[in-house]
Amino acid sequence: MPALAPHIACIMDGNGRWAKRRGLPRTAGHTAGEEALATVVREAAHRNVGWLTVFGFSTENWVRPPSEVRHILGLHRKLFGRIDELNANNVRVRWIGRPFDEPGSRTPAPIQKAIRDAIRDTSTNTGMVLTVAFDYGSRAEIARAARLAALETASSADAASNGAHVSPAAIARHLYDPNLPPVDVLVRTSGETRISNFLLWQARHARVYFTDAAWPDFGADELDAALALVS
Ligand code: FPP
């Protein structure tokens, strides 16, 4: 059955290799990747995709060279700053990742602000929801949700050992965004066929679309091929 307003999730891989093939620095690949994402957001919104969730920066990405991290963070500011475009396409922005006030959070204040501003400035839109995973790791998300669910269970009963009674539904209520629906299609570009700690909970029934195209080359045709898996 066709998914009415499907949830597409993308692991945007291959920016570095795309650049290398052209004799360009890796940062040029990320720049092209951000532009490809802007195109995919527009095309997905036009195709009545309900939810588009993208892996913008993982908790593991901080170990990349500082100059590359700086560049990728700058591209997030650029993306979150595309307010006119997002509003023109009726797109709502959301974010998932390690909460900024949690120990170990490394998200610089300007990125926090860019995220908050984009969420606020697109909040009245009614179309596609674009969720950016930034400083995100799925196991940390699930572990935190399980911890919070266990605390909730313990405080609503006598024993503190009630972890055994934590239900999947209780965990789901404590994920970074409990309203994020199940993923219909998980996309990974650039010939990699791994899930890499992305949306392990939400993508449990997802179709997967692996393509050899590097992320900067992922456009409308590739999006259509991914959507064909759920239509
Ligand atoms: C993988 O390329 C991509 C990332 C590390 C994520 C960053 C994504 C972008 C900059 C695209 C724009 C997105 C946002 C949200 C601003 P890679 O460096 O791992 O490529 P490689 O495997 O070829 O080296």
Side-chain angles (χ1 to χ4, degrees):
M1 201 169 68
L4 270 180
H7 182 182
I8 312 293
C10 299
I11 302 173
M12 306 178 289
D13 202 4
N15 296 339
R17 279 163 282 173
W18 180 93
K20 193 173 176 203
R21 280 198 293 276
R22 287 163 176 75
L24 298 169
R26 294 177 56 78
T27 48
H30 295 312
T31 300
E34 192 277 334
E35 280 159 18
L37 176 56
T39 302
V40 168
V41 168
R42 190 178 61 239
E43 298 291 341
H46 289 172
R47 284 162 176 73
N48 293 321
V49 168
W51 303 73
L52 177 67
T53 303
V54 295
F55 208 169
F57 198 79
S58 79
T59 47
E60 284 102 46
N61 283 154
W62 294 108
V63 302
R64 292 190 178 212
S67 58
E68 185 176 347
V69 169
R70 259 196 314 278
H71 186 83
I72 295 175
L73 265 50
L75 290 173
H76 279 76
R77 288 180 76 175
K78 184 173 177 194
L79 177 78
F80 290 122
R82 291 178 181 265
I83 299 300
D84 290 348
E85 252 171 272
L86 293 164
N87 285 337
N89 289 297
N90 200 18
V91 173
R92 274 171 287 177
V93 171
R94 290 194 192 156
W95 159 74
I96 51 173
R98 188 201 302 259
F100 301 143
D101 58 358
E102 199 166 272
S105 168
R106 298 174 66 172
T107 304
I111 302 294
Q112 296 183 21
K113 181 172 176 350
I115 291 172
R116 287 198 186 97
D117 288 354
I119 292 171
R120 184 197 59 214
D121 295 343
T122 62
S123 62
T124 57
N125 292 333
T126 54
M128 187 178 82
V129 175
L130 168 66
T131 304
V132 179
F134 181 90
D135 196 19
Y136 176 84
S138 188
R139 296 221 305 178
E141 175 186 34
I142 295 168
R144 175 179 173 277
R147 209 161 47 239
L148 294 173
L151 282 172
E152 187 182 73
T153 310
S155 62
S156 66
D158 295 329
S161 59
N162 266 331
H165 301 299
V166 169
S167 65
I171 293 175
R173 277 199 302 277
H174 292 285
L175 295 172
Y176 292 142
D177 182 354
N179 295 316
L180 198 63
V183 174
D184 294 299
V185 187
L186 179 66
V187 171
R188 182 161 191 157
T189 56
S190 205
E192 299 292 342
T193 51
R194 286 172 286 121
I195 304 300
S196 299
N197 204 17
F198 190 44
L199 301 177
L200 299 179
W201 187 279
Q202 298 87 344
R204 66 197 175 281
H205 294 307
R207 302 289 185 99
V208 285
Y209 178 73
F210 296 125
T211 172
D212 287 337
W215 177 256
D217 292 329
F218 190 94
D221 292 348
E222 288 283 341
L223 180 62
D224 283 336
L227 284 170
L229 291 181
V230 284
S231 58

